[in-house]
């Protein structure tokens, strides 16, 4: 089984060395621009008005957990572009997946995409993503922050779950599981072009045509976040005035606000909305959306009811 291990030599190693045989944990040295705790989200509570939340790139979260022997849904860290730095309060086994980024332990290069042992007192740093947007850092045992409605995920829309990371925060880590560990996991390259399949409906008749979505090129807008991937391109023209009554929204719904620019709902999306929905992007396509940087070209592929291209 492949993993990297470093001796404890960094500053603070002696101070924290006693923690190696105590409760494991991580102290935030540098939180990065936006780092949150995420698992697979809050399922089955949308009727309560609670968003799903959870990792935007689910395959990357599952992969990181498998590398350290965790269940697929164990809580881990999701970083955004700028990475994170953490001090190990006890010896831990970690793995970084998702957006490729340099990984170091006390300043020395360590492996991305495989298990790395970090001694007590050492500083683990995930640097800025070289491609893509979001990296995932899993630790054996999972992050043992309190669960809210069955999930440890941070929800930036509703405010449920732990707050986004700040310097000096301490994150508890659970006991390592006895499950099997993967040696390496396949990783998809962040997209040069984001291709999103789109199952049309229910409000296509609110627009003069939706087939322009397949012809025109859109780009990922800088205003994209965990709530939605926003696009820039030719606006869809309304065929009727007025607004819809508020209705339930699902993951991947493509809502069109008054400016005509399609908005693809991601994990922190609201559970209701009043703008027309032209279609739904299947969940497997959303992992690539989570890694698409602003300016990335977006192409929609329109599907029939049975999932076949038009």
């Amino acid at each position: 089984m492949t993993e990297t291990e470093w001796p404890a030599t960094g500053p603070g190693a002696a101070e924290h060395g006693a923690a190696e045989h105590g409760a494991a944990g991580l102290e935030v040295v540098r939180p990065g621009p936006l780092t949150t705790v995420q698992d697979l989200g809050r399922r089955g509570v949308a009727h309560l008005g609670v968003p799903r939340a959870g990792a935007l790139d689910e395959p990357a979260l599952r992969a990181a957990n498998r590398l350290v022997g965790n269940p697929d849904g164990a809580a881990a860290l999701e970083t955004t572009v700028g990475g994170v730095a953490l001090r190990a309060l006890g010896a831990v086994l970690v793995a970084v997946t998702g957006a490729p980024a340099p990984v170091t332990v006390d300043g020395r290069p360590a492996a991305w995409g495989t298990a790395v042992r970090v001694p007590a007192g050492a500083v683990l740093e995930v640097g800025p993503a070289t491609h893509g947007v979001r990296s995932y850092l899993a630790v054996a045992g999972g992050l043992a922050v309190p669960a809210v409605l069955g999930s440890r995920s941070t929800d930036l829309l509703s405010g449920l779950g732990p707050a986004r990371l700040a310097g000096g925060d301490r994150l508890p880590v659970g006991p390592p599981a006895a499950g099997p560990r993967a040696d390496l996991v396949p990783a998809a390259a962040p997209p040069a072009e984001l291709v999103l399949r789109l199952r049309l409906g229910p409000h296509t008749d609110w627009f003069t045509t939706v087939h322009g979505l397949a012809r025109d090129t859109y780009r990922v807008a800088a205003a994209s976040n965990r709530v939605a991937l926003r696009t820039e391109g030719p606006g869809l023209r309304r065929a009727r005035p007025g607004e819809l009554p508020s209705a339930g929204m699902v993951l991947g719904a493509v809502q069109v606000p008054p400016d005509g620019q399609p908005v693809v709902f991601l994990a922190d999306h609201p559970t209701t909305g009043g703008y027309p929905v032209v279609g739904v992007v299947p969940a497997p396509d959303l992992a690539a959306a989570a890694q698409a940087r602003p300016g990335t070209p977006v192409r929609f592929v329109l599907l029939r009811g049975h999932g076949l291209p038009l």
Side-chain angles (χ1 to χ4, degrees), residues 198 200 203-216 218 234-240 256 260 262 278 302 310:
L198 182 64
L200 292 175
H203 302 132
T204 55
D205 60 334
W206 276 67
F207 300 92
T208 56
T209 180
V210 295
H211 289 84
L213 286 170
R215 294 192 309 267
D216 298 326
Y218 291 80
L236 295 182
R237 294 176 59 188
R238 286 279 192 97
R240 62 172 74 177
V256 183
V278 293
L302 308 187
L310 288 175

Side-chain angles (χ1 to χ4, degrees), residues 216-243:
D216 298 326
T217 297
Y218 291 80
R219 293 188 178 276
V220 176
S224 300
N225 53 26
R226 282 188 45 86
V227 174
L229 181 137
R230 300 179 183 276
T231 65
E232 298 171 339
L236 295 182
R237 294 176 59 188
R238 286 279 192 97
R240 62 172 74 177
E243 297 298 337

